[in-house]
Amino acid sequence: MKIEERASTHVYRQRQMLSKEDLEARESLCVHEQPAYCNAACPLKLDVKAMTAAIAAGDFDRALALYEKITPFPQLLSAGCEAPCEQSCKLCSLGEGISIRALESAALTWGKKSRGMSFLRKKPAAVGIFGGDLMTLFLAGELVKKRYPVHFYCAENDPRALVEHCVPGFSPEIVQSTAKILAAMDIQFHWNTDPAAAFRQAEQPLRAASYAVAASVFPGLEPDEALMVSRPQKLITGRTQGILGAAYGAKKAALSIDRMAQKLDPGSTRGEEGAVETKLYTSLDGVRPSSRIPVADRDSAIAEARRCIQCRCDECIKGCAYLQHYQKFPRILTREIYNNVSIIMGDHMMNKPINACALCGQCSVLCPNGYDMGEICRIARENMVFTGKMPLAPHEFALMDMLFSNEEAFLCRPQPGFDQCRYVFFPGCQATAIAPATVRSAYLDLCARLPGGVALMLGCCGAICHWAGRYELTGQTRRFLQACLADLGNPAIIAGCPTCKKELAEFTGLEVHGFWQLLEQIGLPDKACPVPRPVALHDACGARGDSGTQKSIRRIAAALGCQVADTPYSGDEAPCCGYGGLTQYTNREVARKMTEKCLERSDLPYLSYCMACRDRFAREGRESFHLLELVYGTAADHCPDISVKRYNRLGLKQQLLKELWNEEVISVDLGFTIDYTPEAEALMDDRMILKSDVIQVFQHLRETGEAICDSETGLYITRAREGNVTFWVKYRETDTGYLVVSAYSHRMKVVNRQ
Amino acid sequence: MADKNYYTIDPEGKLTCLKCRCKLQKDKAKFLYLDNGFPVELPVCPRCGFVYVPEELALGKVLAVEKALEDK
Ligand code: SF4
Ligand code: SF4
Ligand code: SF4
Ligand SMILES: [Zn+2]
């Protein structure tokens, strides 16, 4: 099998990663941008959530600015608003909701009005308003804001009398302040006029002069309340209920006037109006019920506002270090990925995020609507591979490692003494790389205790290429494994790793058991090593949705005497350790944050059942063990480097071949030795340079003699190109070979130029 | 290709080709990656043409250009 680097950055194929409908259907699952419950309930579209946040932060000026945005008469509205938002407050389901009206009036009391200036030009079409009532009063204010010239005809003789007539029953202060605002407005008042008579007189000439006409409801007008329009008479009017109804009616009326002034049908393309249904989800986990704090002064207003939990959905982000790192919600991330994948030429800014997701599916469980960001990233990767936009560099090491597992280190044999076996043990590439001794014990135990024979298959299940989006390689790998399984007579598979279990079940069509399930059948071996200690159990992302596995692991842990402590985000909600989706290779920073996120759940030692998790936790300095280590009393290697991981796989194969099948593997003698300084070893692990790469460089050196000497450091330097990479080695000569002091690599080819 | 050199590194006489026993000199070379080319001047053996890419260059500029091209 071969992995090809893409040929060019200029030549692409084209294919949509998702159909528009599929994209929209997926995006619509995310309710993050849905309005908060309070906001949704307000027909005037007050941003209650933002206003509350402003007050909580002591910023009453901003709170006032938000409130004034929705109405020309804030005092009046605040004094009489029926406040449907208050019943809709999320906190009502727990204790008492926020006193939103009290906070509005706090904003009015302690907020300073900003001297906002309107830069709108005055509109050419004027509006005549005939008769004062609550709705027309608000309407006059709305129209002044929109810069219509307004003529107001009424029977009263001054603003105060007009307001008193429009809003009977309010306190003198409210009437006074509203009248003051009204008087200051750019309105031409026609006092002491009988509005009905003026209406009849003025109707024709006004209409002819392209005036819009708004009248309080006279007999004979037939209003369409949804638009506040009386269609036969082509004028604005309507009945409203209460203060809020009037304020909302005035808004609808003002919008109809806009439409009519543009000679458009007032009923069409009005946009979203009024209160809406919100689909928001907000978790109340960890929120304690609380009671209203009476608002008497600034401090009590701030305290009441601080009870607001700023409703929003961030269930996925709370659990996922990757989403936290990019600070984006799945819906937005999806759209950006979609757009970026579609770009033909230019920078693909989203490659990093696409390749940094662990494809672990945690989001799909945490999200109330099952948003699966991982699936989007996986589809995007496959699409990029197809179109030729996927760089090989981020995944090449992992893919080569998989090829190593399935070629050089691959082993497939029936149990000695059996032609056909009932089972085949598939420990997985990570277990053999990190804990070869444990794998050996496990296999020998299965052979001894399971009737019917247990074949062995050492290799990779193909998760690596599946994660990398290399669909062709995935197909090849799966066909190869299927052929090997067929050779064994298609036995039932015993997977040592939950991800292998999942992958193998997906394509083999065979019976696939977890190793743990078999252990429960046959019981723990004698050498099991009880750990009577509290441990934090980390569920593998490969076992998400596999409650059988999760439960089985817990029973075995209990049988081993472990006191398993419950951590947040366990079971199906478990985060990925940073290995999944190849994050460890593509983005170390994000992978590390993922590991830290796993470890922040508990201070206890971590018990896991995926070897990759076990290894990553140990690397972060946490005491960490894999269930099989305890079951067989054999420890895994402590943080093996990339070369040891390969050596372990090959070594295990050779050991078992010799021990069980009497096949001696003749190791080729290089004819020279290579030693490494400790610094060089650490550096190579960090730079993903294998010892086998270095061997090739020296073999090339011995064939060609090509090297240089740096007189300043006294070091020799040589290089060789292997596949897509040039490896450089700095070394000294020793009696028998070489001492490697440093190594580095680059992917660009370097050539001479004339 | 514009005749701009992306980087120039002078060996300053401290590097010797082991095979040819002569000093490396600043000379013309070119980096190639994914169908893109970048002319450079690097230490080169005047006899066998061995082009030396120093560690700092490989891990610095070269890596940065590689990454930028990979996301094109
Ligand atoms: S959990 Fe995340 S993806 Fe799901 S609705 Fe909430 S913010 Fe959106
Ligand atoms: S808690 Fe705050 S944001 Fe949530 S509904 Fe109530 S007032 Fe609105
Ligand atoms: S890392 Fe896991 S939880 Fe986070 S977005 Fe990717 S698949 Fe979802
Ligand atoms: Zn030379």
Side-chain angles (χ1 to χ4, degrees), chain A residues 37-239:
Chain A
Y37 308 93
C38 48
N39 290 17
C42 175
L44 306 182
K45 303 216 172 290
L46 172 62
D47 192 344
V48 180
K49 185 172 134 182
M51 182 190 78
T52 319
I55 294 178
D59 189 349
F60 287 84
D61 298 350
R62 171 160 164 70
L64 178 61
L66 287 164
Y67 190 53
E68 283 185 324
K69 223 157 92 182
I70 61 156
T71 180
F73 301 110
Q75 262 85 7
L76 183 58
L77 180 66
S78 147
C81 182
E82 293 82 358
C85 54
E86 291 193 346
Q87 287 102 59
S88 300
C89 174
K90 183 76 183 175
L91 290 179
C92 293
S93 60
L94 206 64
E96 282 184 333
I98 300 293
S99 310
I100 297 168
R101 254 182 72 185
L103 293 181
E104 289 166 358
S105 88
L108 285 164
T109 313
W110 294 294
K112 260 203 314 303
K113 213 174 149 53
S114 64
R115 293 264 148 254
M117 292 239 290
S118 171
F119 296 103
L120 285 180
R121 271 211 276 139
K122 217 162 185 144
K123 298 237 167 44
V127 183
I129 297 179
F130 297 87
D133 62 21
L134 204 41
M135 192 282 282
T136 57
L137 181 68
F138 275 108
L139 177 59
E142 295 286 349
L143 293 173
V144 167
K145 263 204 209 168
K146 287 177 184 275
R147 305 280 287 146
Y148 283 95
V150 176
H151 292 262
F152 205 129
Y153 300 83
C154 60
E156 293 70 29
N157 58 2
D158 65 11
R160 195 190 159 94
L162 175 59
V163 172
E164 245 164 6
H165 165 77
C166 295
V167 286
F170 275 87
S171 72
E173 294 79 45
I174 302 283
V175 172
Q176 180 66 44
S177 66
T178 306
K180 211 175 125 196
I181 296 173
L182 183 66
M185 281 176 174
D186 183 10
I187 296 176
Q188 204 168 332
F189 288 100
H190 303 264
W191 307 115
N192 300 314
T193 330
D194 171 9
F199 173 61
R200 277 190 301 277
Q201 256 179 32
E203 199 182 1
Q204 288 318 317
L206 279 177
R207 188 80 51 71
S210 89
Y211 272 51
V213 177
S216 54
V217 183
F218 301 127
L221 301 180
E222 299 159 32
D224 168 350
E225 311 283 350
L227 307 178
M228 302 298 288
V229 169
S230 168
R231 284 196 185 260
Q233 287 83 9
K234 293 208 177 82
L235 54 77
I236 300 291
T237 186
R239 287 178 196 82

Side-chain angles (χ1 to χ4, degrees), chain A residues 329-349:
Chain A
F329 283 88
R331 206 189 72 78
I332 299 177
L333 199 55
T334 301
R335 183 48 68 118
E336 289 182 9
I337 286 176
Y338 182 85
N339 290 342
N340 209 247
V341 162
S342 321
I343 294 181
I344 309 288
M345 294 283 190
D347 290 328
H348 293 93
M349 310 292 290

Side-chain angles (χ1 to χ4, degrees), chain A residues 470-585:
Chain A
R470 302 271 159 184
Y471 53 89
E472 284 174 341
L473 195 59
T474 307
Q476 284 172 26
T477 304
R478 290 178 169 189
R479 285 192 294 278
F480 165 72
L481 294 174
Q482 273 171 318
C484 294
L485 288 163
D487 280 348
L488 292 174
N490 286 325
I493 299 169
I494 305 172
C497 155
T499 298
C500 298
K501 175 172 184 269
K502 189 170 128 193
E503 290 279 326
L504 293 169
E506 200 178 308
F507 69 87
T508 61
L510 301 178
E511 216 180 291
V512 186
H513 307 277
F515 184 86
W516 41 95
Q517 286 154 329
L518 262 292
L519 264 187
E520 283 206 283
Q521 272 177 34
I522 60 177
L524 291 176
D526 297 338
K527 38 180 163 169
C529 130
V531 185
R533 298 168 54 183
V535 293
L537 183 74
H538 174 75
D539 286 290
C541 59
R544 197 178 314 286
D546 183 353
S547 65
T549 289
Q550 294 167 16
K551 283 187 192 139
S552 167
I553 297 286
R554 281 167 173 73
R555 284 190 297 264
I556 297 175
L560 286 165
C562 299
Q563 294 138 31
V564 172
D566 258 325
T567 64
Y569 294 112
S570 67
D572 283 348
E573 296 185 349
C576 171
C577 69
Y579 183 79
L582 305 181
T583 308
Q584 169 174 311
Y585 300 98

Side-chain angles (χ1 to χ4, degrees), chain A residues 347-348 744 747 749 751, chain B residues 29-30 32 53 66 71-72:
Chain A
D347 290 328
H348 293 93
Y744 58 98
R747 300 180 68 84
K749 232 190 223 156
V751 295
Chain B
K30 193 170 172 181
L32 299 172
V53 181
E66 282 174 5
D71 289 343
K72 288 265 181 233

